[in-house]
Amino acid sequence: MSTPRFNRALFGNLTVIAVLVAVAVLLLRLHLGEGWWLASPLPWQWWSAAGVGAVYAFACFVLWWRVRPRKEPASDTGQPPLLIVWASQTGFARQLAERSAQSLRAAGHATRLRALDQVDAALLGSSHQALFIASTTGEGDPPDHALAFLRRVMPQASALPELQYAVLALGDRSYEHYCAFGHQLDAWLRAHGAQPLFDLVEVDNADPDALRHWQQLLGQLGGTASNVPDWSAPEYQPWQLQSRRLLNPGSVGGPVFHLALQPAEGALPSWQAGDIAEIGPRQSAAAVQAWMQAHGFDPGTRLPDGRLLGELLAASQLPEHAADIDIAALAAQLRPLPHREYSIASMPGEGNLQLMLRRQLRPDGQPGLASGWLCDYTQPGDRIDLRLRSNRNFHPPAADVPLILIGNGTGIAGLRAHLRARIDAGARRNWLLFGERNLAHDFHFGDELQQWQRDGWIEHLDAVFSRDGGAFHYVQDALAAHAQRLREWIDQGATLLVCGSLQGMAPAVDAVIIDALGSDAHEALRITSRYRRDVY
Ligand SMILES: Cc1cc2nc3c(=O)[nH]c(=O)nc-3n(C[C@H](O)[C@H](O)[C@H](O)COP(=O)(O)OP(=O)(O)OC[C@H]3O[C@@H](n4cnc5c(N)ncnc54)[C@H](O)[C@@H]3O)c2cc1C
Ligand SMILES: Cc1cc2nc3c(=O)[nH]c(=O)nc-3n(C[C@H](O)[C@H](O)[C@H](O)COP(=O)(O)O)c2cc1C
C-alpha cells in the first residue's frame, strides 16, 4: 500500500545549497574587476550593490509580512479561540498549522496561530483547546526557535488540567529518534495534566495518509469542520457494495450496519488487522435532484467535457448560491466532499472487506454525510470509492504476545479483525472486553465471539451492557474489577488495544490503566507501543 514518496527535507536542503552556490559565484565575480582596491567601485558595481540591497529589503519585508501580528477573530461561544502552535525548522509544520487554522476558521471556529517561542505559560493556561504541530530536527532535537519554550516555559509552567490538546508530530522514520520532539511535547503536556483530544499523529516524511487522518480528526473537533475538503484527496479505487445488514434492530442506540464490499474489478487487495478504509462519500440522488431543480438545472445537464452535472454534484458540496452562473464556472467552484475513515472489521482471507457503521445524525436531524450515504442510500451493487490506509499504529503484535482488546460500540469492528488475524496465526492468549447498551440488541458479532471463546480462541470474554443493570456499567468498570488480571497479563508481556469512543470510554479506560499499573508503567506501555489506541 505504500508508494515511494517525495522527500521534502532533502529537496529543501538541496535547493538552499544550490542557491548559496549561485550567490557565491555571483559575489566572486565582484572581485574580478580591475581597480578593486585602488579606486571607488565602478558604476555597474554600485548598481549591483543597490540591487542586492533592494532584494534584501524586499525579502525582509516578505518575512515580516508573514509573521506580522494579525487580528484574530473572536469566538461566538465566549470560549477562548482554539490555539494552534507550530514548531518548525524548515517551514512545513508552520505551513500545516496555517492550513489547519484555515480549515477550522472556514468551519466557523475562532483560532489563534502562534510559533512555539511566542507561547508562554499564561497563554497555555488561558486556552481551553490547543493543537501543536511540531517537527523534529538534528538527532531527535526540537527546531531551533523552540528552544526558548523549552528553557523558559517548560520548567516553570504549572498544571494545565483545563487544557485539551492534540499533537501532530512531523518526522522521518529513517532517523533514529522518530518524531522525538512531538513525543516530548506530548509527554510534557500529559505530565502537566492536559487532556489529549486524540492520540498523537505521527507524519513520516509528509505522508499524505497521515495528513488526511489529521484532517479527519480536525473535522471531529467541531462538527461543521467535517465538511472542509481534503488537503489532498485520496486516490480512491472503485469498490462495490455486496451486502448491508442492520445489526441492532430494536436498539435504543443509533442503528449499526454491517457492510460487505468487494473491489469492482480484480482481486481483493491485502491489508493488516487495524487498517482503515477511507471512503469517498456521495450526496444522495434525492439531494442532487432537489438541488438541481431548485437552481433551475435540467437533470440531463452535461458539463463542457461531456460528464453529467449530476455526477459531479454527487461528489461535491452543494453550494448555497448558484444563480446567474454558467455551468463551467459552477463546475470550477464546486468543492469535493471530504473522505471518512472506517476500521476494517475483516481479514482478506474472509473474501471481502467488512465495515461496521453507526448512522450518525446531524443537529438538524439529517443523516451524517458518509454514514447516511452508506447506511441509507447505497444499494448492493452500487459503486463505492474506497482506499485502504495502512494504520501502523494499530497493527497487531507478534502472535506469541498476549493481547488485551478493549472496545465499545462500533469499536468492535477493528477488534474483530484483530481476533480473526490472531486465530489465523494460531494465537490463543486473547482477552476481550466489550461494552454496549443492551445484550438483547447490541452484542455485535456476539454469536461468533462466543463461539470463538468456546473454541478456546478467547481466553476471557467480558461483555458489559450499561442498560441491563448487570454487575458492571461500562467496559472500564469491568477492567477495573479485573485489575489483578490486567497486572498479570501486562507482567506476561501483553499488548493493549483500545478501539471505539474517544469521548467517555477511551479516557476512562486510560484512567483505569493508570490506577491499576501506575503512571510510570502506563507511560512505558505507550512508549514501547504496547498500548495502542484507535479511538474516534
Ligand atoms: C480512525 C477512525 C476509525 C473510525 N471507524 C469507524 C467505524 O468503524 N464505524 C463508524 O461508524 N465510525 C467510524 N469512525 C467515524 C467515521 O469516520 C465518521 O466520523 C462517522 O461515520 C460520521 O461521519 P458522517 O459523514 O456520517 O457524519 P458527519 O456529516 O461528519 O457528521 C458527524 C457529526 O458531526 C456533527 N456535525 C456535522 N455537521 C454539523 C453541523 N453542520 N453543525 C454541527 N454539528 C455538525 C454532528 O454531531 C454529527 O453527528 C472512525 C473514525 C476514525 C477517525
Ligand atoms: C537535518 C534534519 C534532521 C532531522 N532529524 C530528524 C529526527 O531526528 N527525527 C525525525 O523524526 N525527523 C527528522 N527530520 C525530518 C523532519 O522532522 C521532517 O522533514 C519534517 O517534515 C520537517 O518539518 P519542518 O519543515 O516543519 O521543520 C530531520 C530533517 C532534517 C532536514
Side-chain angles (χ1 to χ4, degrees):
M1 269 178 278
S2 64
T3 46
R5 276 184 264 112
F6 172 64
N7 189 329
R8 291 182 81 261
L10 184 65
F11 177 74
N13 285 334
L14 290 178
T15 308
V16 169
I17 289 170
V19 170
L20 287 176
V21 168
V23 169
V25 169
L26 281 176
L27 290 177
L28 191 65
R29 283 167 52 84
L30 289 177
H31 291 264
L32 300 178
E34 280 185 13
W36 173 258
W37 302 107
L38 302 176
S40 71
L42 300 172
W44 72 268
Q45 288 170 326
W46 280 114
W47 282 113
S48 305
V52 169
V55 169
Y56 177 72
F58 180 71
C60 289
F61 174 76
V62 169
L63 284 177
W64 170 82
W65 183 256
R66 291 182 61 190
V67 295
R68 75 195 186 284
R70 273 167 253 202
K71 197 168 178 291
E72 284 151 351
S75 161
D76 303 339
T77 58
Q79 295 264 346
L82 195 151
L83 179 64
I84 303 179
V85 181
W86 53 269
S88 182
Q89 189 69 13
T90 55
F92 189 43
R94 178 189 185 149
Q95 205 184 79
L96 292 176
E98 285 169 351
R99 284 184 131 186
S100 302
Q102 235 170 34
S103 296
L104 288 162
R105 281 190 204 128
H109 292 267
T111 60
R112 50 186 165 196
L113 188 63
R114 293 282 188 279
L116 189 58
D117 53 296
Q118 297 169 340
V119 172
D120 56 20
L123 180 58
L124 285 180
S126 65
S127 300
H128 288 185
Q129 291 191 322
L131 307 179
F132 293 83
I133 301 178
S135 74
T136 296
T137 189
E139 290 300 324
D141 303 321
D144 295 340
H145 73 102
L147 288 176
F149 182 83
L150 268 91
R151 295 205 179 115
R152 277 191 281 112
V153 183
M154 276 182 149
Q156 287 164 14
S158 44
L160 299 165
E162 302 300 322
L163 183 68
Q164 295 182 309
Y165 76 96
V167 177
L168 183 70
L170 309 188
D172 185 330
R173 212 172 268 285
S174 59
Y175 286 89
E176 188 186 343
H177 305 286
Y178 177 51
C179 292
F181 182 55
H183 282 286
Q184 185 185 348
L185 260 181
D186 185 45
W188 181 81
L189 287 159
R190 225 174 250 273
H192 281 72
Q195 301 299 316
L197 286 157
F198 32 82
D199 285 0
L200 174 144
V201 177
E202 290 175 346
V203 183
D204 178 15
N205 190 15
D207 174 13
D209 294 4
L211 294 178
R212 267 199 307 281
H213 178 54
W214 171 255
Q215 242 201 301
Q216 158 120 36
L217 296 173
L218 284 188
Q220 278 179 212
L221 262 185
T224 49
S226 54
N227 276 342
V228 176
D230 291 328
W231 296 338
S232 73
E235 285 169 21
Y236 296 117
Q237 282 87 44
W239 286 62
Q240 232 175 24
L241 181 67
Q242 259 186 326
S243 64
R244 181 181 51 220
R245 184 164 54 93
L246 178 63
L247 287 178
N248 60 346
S251 171
V252 291
V256 174
F257 292 85
H258 176 267
L259 279 74
L261 298 105
Q262 279 274 335
E265 311 147 1
L268 202 62
S270 78
W271 64 84
Q272 290 195 52
D275 283 349
I276 296 288
E278 294 180 328
I279 300 266
R282 306 241 148 201
Q283 304 282 1
S284 70
V288 171
Q289 220 171 24
W291 188 92
M292 289 181 80
Q293 200 169 12
H295 292 86
F297 289 100
D298 187 80
T301 308
R302 287 191 182 270
L303 298 164
D305 63 10
R307 280 179 301 161
L308 278 170
L309 173 62
E311 275 174 20
L312 180 62
L313 287 168
S316 309
Q317 292 184 45
L318 301 176
E320 277 173 29
H321 309 289
D324 306 326
I325 179 166
D326 76 58
I327 187 149
L330 170 65
Q333 78 162 46
L334 288 177
R335 299 200 303 166
L337 289 173
H339 80 289
R340 293 286 184 265
E341 305 190 345
Y342 295 97
S343 307
I344 303 176
S346 58
M347 292 302 292
E350 295 178 82
N352 56 19
L353 183 145
Q354 298 171 29
L355 303 176
M356 212 182 141
L357 260 87
R358 192 181 296 277
R359 187 207 291 130
Q360 304 280 346
L361 288 183
R362 294 184 158 201
D364 61 1
Q366 290 293 313
L369 171 68
S371 63
W373 177 64
L374 287 165
C375 298
D376 294 343
Y377 305 124
T378 49
Q379 296 303 325
D382 281 357
R383 175 188 158 135
I384 310 280
D385 283 339
L386 187 151
R387 183 179 179 281
L388 300 179
R389 175 167 77 76
S390 172
N391 190 15
R392 201 186 255 267
N393 234 5
F394 207 60
H395 279 169
D400 59 353
V401 171
L403 190 61
I404 306 172
L405 306 101
I406 304 171
N408 69 338
T410 52
I412 191 66
L415 301 182
R416 185 200 172 272
H418 273 284
L419 283 166
R420 184 65 260 172
R422 299 276 291 176
I423 295 172
D424 294 344
R428 290 184 180 274
R429 297 233 46 213
N430 303 308
W431 171 16
L432 173 67
L433 296 111
F434 169 66
E436 252 285 7
R437 286 181 172 155
N438 295 106
L439 170 66
H441 306 288
D442 303 310
F443 195 4
H444 318 301
F445 302 114
D447 293 345
E448 183 180 49
L449 294 172
Q450 284 168 330
Q451 187 59 49
W452 285 347
Q453 187 186 25
R454 283 193 292 274
D455 294 343
W457 292 114
I458 300 180
E459 206 170 302
H460 304 285
L461 172 54
D462 293 301
V464 176
F465 297 94
S466 59
R467 307 273 173 112
D468 283 349
F472 309 119
H473 221 59
Y474 298 114
V475 81
Q476 57 268 28
D477 304 327
L479 186 64
H482 294 300
Q484 181 54 30
R485 190 196 293 160
L486 174 64
R487 283 189 284 271
E488 284 164 13
W489 277 58
I490 294 297
D491 287 346
Q492 292 157 12
T495 286
L496 278 155
L497 295 179
V498 179
C499 193
S501 300
L502 179 66
Q503 311 281 340
M505 188 271 300
V509 165
D510 205 51
V512 171
I513 294 170
I514 294 176
D515 233 37
L517 308 175
S519 317
D520 290 348
H522 167 266
E523 196 58 27
L525 286 175
R526 291 185 65 91
I527 290 168
T528 53
S529 279
R530 284 177 57 199
Y531 177 20
R532 308 176 190 181
R533 307 199 312 172
D534 200 19
V535 290
Y536 46 87

